[in-house]
Amino acid sequence: MSNEYKAEHIQVLEGLDPVRKRPGMYIGSTDERGLHHLIWEVLDNSIDEAMAGHCQNIVLRIHTDGSLSVSDDGRGIPVEKHKQTGISTVETVLTILHAGGKFGGGGYKVSGGLHGVGVSVVNALSSRTEVTVEREGKKHFVAFEAGEPKEPLKSIGDSSKTGTTVQFWPDGKIFETTDFQFETIKKRIRQQAYLTKGVTITLFDEREGKENACQFYFEGGIASFVQHINEGRESIGSIITFEDEKEDTAVEISLQYTQEFRESIFTFANNIQTIEGGTHLTGFMTALTRTLNKYGRDSGFLKEKDQNFTNEDVKEGLTAIISVKVHEPQFEGQTKSKLGNSHVRGAVDKIASDKLREFLAENPNDAKAIVSKCALATRARLAARAARDTVIRKGALDGMNLPGKLADCSSKDPNKSELFIVEGDSAGGSAKQGRDRYTQAILPLRGKVLNTEEARLDKILSNNEIKSLVVALGTAIGETFEIEKLRYQKVVIMTDADVDGAHIRTLLLTLLYRHFKALVLNGNIYIAQPPLYKLQKGKQVWYAMTDNEKEKIQKEYDVKGDNIQRYKGLGEMNPEQLWETTMDPNTRTLARVTVEDAEKADHIFKVLMGSDVPPRKKFIQTHAADVKDLDI
Ligand code: 0RA
């Protein structure tokens, strides 16, 4: 770690004009998510300072005037003149795109600010930014407006402390909303606090007179994270935590087995969550599987005749946090959330193998419990395979693989094809008549789809409704899943806008999330948005998706009482209406299902589908109506 930071480590690339012209290019979007991206960008800088061991406290404050500030007690951004720009380093960092220690390669060893554009982007997209730096006995201040220097750097007094405060007012001309969300920020700082052992992060919300605050400090770092995830789960053995460095890669891993069927594995590179995994995850899985197999054989637990554990077997019930810090992380994949650096695989594999082997040797009771759990998973996998083979064989004997109740589309091109999963036979009938036969297939599902949360694959496959769906999708399931075989580019869940509909939709989402996650990640899953109301005046007809919309139409066109119909189910619409409002690609609205956040999804499905009934009931009742902002 280089303690002697030199101003020339900063690389100068370009000015801020392009940021205001095309904000989306730099922060993804200008909606609520883009707005919060500004905070993460500023916070990352303070976290970097903490990771480098120079900062213990970070305070975020949502002010009443629309601004947010992040203060830290780090070394303070340097204020001396910067060689290449001729202005101070702090002004350089704030006004020049991609200017920051992390891009120069010399300043910091590792950096999380890889979202990864630097605080200058925040400055560019804020109507005002103020930076206060305390270092070398002085307090310094500088202010900008829309990225332009307004009050040049000046000393505003003495200070015996060190640190940096960045306060910014997001530009209302750029953002669709400037309303900071306490809960969103809270969640983020909790996660960052887990990942940065020993740092205290505090959030104050000063708005609306109600002083809202939270604070996170985790002495145990990622071990506390594992403990948090496993609260309420039956654990197997103790939490195993280790860290080491190899080939410029710092590796921290914490794990614990539980009696769950599912795994909860969260991976991070430079404190950024890597939802799609990557080389750190593969390195870890290889090490875990190899080490457990070796232990199983050496200890005589796995007999000669026994099969080896697969990755899937050792994953079952595993909770793990894998956090790596690398010099120049490469992010790949659909959502740029997959770590690509190949040397990380070997480093994690080596470190994890050594530490796990040690742990198993020193803790024979834990080791036996873990290996037994894996053996159980192996037996379940073999049973599931037998069940699946039977399903496939049966399908082949029928001479027709596709389920009878599927009304398939005539196009065989997956890029043009859509599958509508429809609740109930009567709505299924309307959908079959109303659809575009060339591109749209209909699969009516009867009754409640099996609750897949607690069920193993063999049991899931014995359910007829699910079997039909699996065959219709074409991808198979489990080990043999292949996304390339998907027969429809869009899979649309179409259920009634009532509590039953919400329940079935949730069950289907659980199934898709657990067993067809790649489809969710790939953006293939959608929720249809049928209208709630039909309004009529003479020959004119309107459809309204929400109560608000209904009221607006009512007022604007003076539609009264009798001419308003509330749809209780899809079955009440005739085929033409269903086509017009919900299925016609030119007029319909579809909500795409995204896995924004694997941890949140994990939690919601747990609440919804776990054996704990009251919270599930409450959740469904609360959320039955809001299908629009779906964020599983
Ligand atoms: C570069 C070098 C040094 C500190 C920082 C950047 C720094 C940046 C930010 C942004 C927010 N908080 C920050 N804290 C520190 C270290 C200079 C030295 O050696 O004293």
Side-chain angles (χ1 to χ4, degrees), residues 418 483 529:
E418 304 178 342
I483 197 164
Q529 309 284 304

Side-chain angles (χ1 to χ4, degrees), residues 2-6 10 42-50 54-55 70-78 80 89 93 100-101 107-108 119 135-136 163-166:
S2 132
N3 284 323
E4 267 156 282
Y5 169 82
K6 295 273 184 322
I10 296 202
V42 177
L43 177 61
D44 281 349
N45 288 295
S46 299
I47 295 280
D48 281 353
E49 190 66 358
H54 298 292
C55 154
V70 180
S71 300
D72 66 55
D73 59 357
R75 291 167 296 177
I77 307 180
E80 83 265 30
T89 303
V93 168
Y108 284 121
V119 71
R135 59 183 272 140
E136 288 150 6
T164 305
T165 298
V166 177

Side-chain angles (χ1 to χ4, degrees), residues 145-215:
E145 284 178 15
E148 300 289 333
K150 268 285 161 324
E151 298 171 43
L153 185 68
K154 58 174 183 249
S155 168
I156 54 167
D158 296 334
S159 173
S160 56
K161 297 184 293 185
T162 64
T164 305
T165 298
V166 177
Q167 182 167 9
F168 63 98
W169 285 255
D171 198 330
K173 293 202 288 288
I174 286 177
F175 290 95
E176 291 152 38
T177 171
T178 54
D179 196 14
F180 293 117
Q181 299 296 315
F182 185 84
E183 287 304 320
T184 306
I185 303 170
K186 177 178 174 182
K187 207 177 130 234
R188 178 72 165 215
I189 63 173
R190 174 203 291 269
Q191 193 191 64
Q192 293 297 319
Y194 279 129
L195 293 170
T196 320
K197 194 164 33 185
V199 70
T200 302
I201 312 181
T202 313
L203 169 63
F204 294 106
D205 190 342
E206 296 179 342
R207 295 170 299 185
E208 287 172 36
K210 56 169 180 188
E211 172 104 355
N212 218 340
C214 60
Q215 184 172 69

